[in-house]
Amino acid sequence: MVNVDPIQSSAAPITRPAAAGPPVPGGADPGAAGLDALTLGRRIRDRRHRLGLTLDTLAAAVDRAPSQISMIENGKREPRLSMLRLIAAALDTTVDELLRTDAPTPRAALEIAVERAQRGPVFTALGLPRFRVGPGQPDDTLQTILTLHNEIERLHRERAATPEEARRANAQLRAEMRERDNYFPDLEAQALELLTAVGHSGGPVSHQVVADMAAHLGFSLHYVGDLPHSTRSVTDKRNGRIYLPTEQSTSRDSRSPILQAFASHLCGHSEPESYADFLRQRVETNYLTAAILLPQTDTLRLLNDAKAARRISLEDLRDAFSVSYETAAHRFTNLATARLGIPVHFMKVHESGTIIKAYENDDVQFPSDALGAVEGSTVCRSWTARTVFDVPDRFSPWYQYTDTPAGTFWCTSRIEKAKEGDYSVSVGVPFAHVNWFRGRETTNRAVSHCPDESCCRRAPDDLSGRWAGQAWPVARTPTSLLAALPTGTFPGVDPTEVYKFLEAHAPA
């Protein structure tokens, strides 16, 4: 409810204060202050009807023409505060009551939504004529119009969610992660609180401990054979159930799907409204998952001991906490700069040379497009993330120094398999910080001149002369990077399949 200053100038327009804030001063822009003229008009009309007053009677009571009151009731004019006081008195109510933000009836809410739709960009773009919304239209008619409008608006939003938008969102998110050195203290605190709540005393986090966490948060685990193909897990928030597949991939950690399922709950995520929201939520979910699997205190103890011995190794970190190499690499980037003082970069690269994920705060120069996006770009053939694919020994870590225009960097890399092919996972540091790492004594060295096109992007002249225009390759790049951005609230997930699944598994 809005508190209106009784001594506010009678010439001042109606203003709405921000939530929990002071009243907006008289004379401020009513639109900027958030006045909903449509809702206000419907509340005035509803109150008038309840009292059995005609438009003419109310107009006479406030000494205005009926056409002026009609404009106010239809949300086409915002009354001054002095006028609103007169209207409130004539309707035997208060200004606060008229300024409430909820519609007075479901019918009024429907009319407001249709009126708002007519004033929006969809009607304008389609050149549709506006019509008067009144008691003559049945609810079904208005609801049909509104449903069609909302579907057209949704399709336009999804069309706007192009790969370009996704790349912008990736670039923005990576810049934010760089600014905070990829360290999130609030998520670290949440991980510690949950670990403490279930009595974890140190060391690797077992599957049972993860199950205890789910129970502590009010979730029960259910393993099923018909989990929707587009999902890793499905959470029934209504009944507190987490559904997981009965068959676990040998390459996946059985704990991660459980942690990722309730991590969104811990982070307070709501359905993402944009691809940027979706990316940010995924980063937070993955961060919290890693912070639980590799608790900060234990992980720092291991890394500080290794740093003192000048033997930091991602393989040791992986083995100590029974996680994947990629998870260990991600976790190292969380703590390397903020807690160990080591600038770092990370890359996940498909065997085609396409960058899938990347992060840096050590000034290494990733390839990027004009939008600053890295994902989908091709990494230099001389970088460790590419040369590792040519190494016959897939069991030992690959170390390499690379001289680049931005300086010399040392990297360690390893190959991991996935359904779309092999990927390299690489972590690197500037030459000045290599003395803390095992593998610094390597003699492997390469030179990269990228982004100079002569390094990787342009074929030698003799080859181009023979084959330009005569080759037609089929890309091996993952299809997820070639396709347009998947549609829907959760990209890549079929909501119908998920809802049918929940319907079938909901407790009686």
Side-chain angles (χ1 to χ4, degrees), residues 36 75 94 152 180 265 269 274 345-346 389 411 478:
D36 185 351
T94 64
I152 293 171
R180 60 195 307 166
H265 168 76
H269 292 159
S274 65
H345 67 266
F346 163 91
F389 288 106
C411 296

Side-chain angles (χ1 to χ4, degrees), residues 398-417:
W398 173 248
Y399 307 116
Q400 177 182 302
Y401 289 98
T402 308
D403 299 319
T404 78
T408 298
F409 295 86
W410 173 91
C411 296
T412 178
S413 188
R414 182 174 283 276
I415 302 295
E416 293 202 334
K417 292 186 175 294

Side-chain angles (χ1 to χ4, degrees), residues 183-202:
Y183 183 73
F184 294 73
D186 51 338
L187 297 179
E188 297 286 353
Q190 282 188 309
L192 177 60
E193 182 180 352
L194 188 55
L195 287 162
T196 303
V198 296
H200 178 68
S201 57

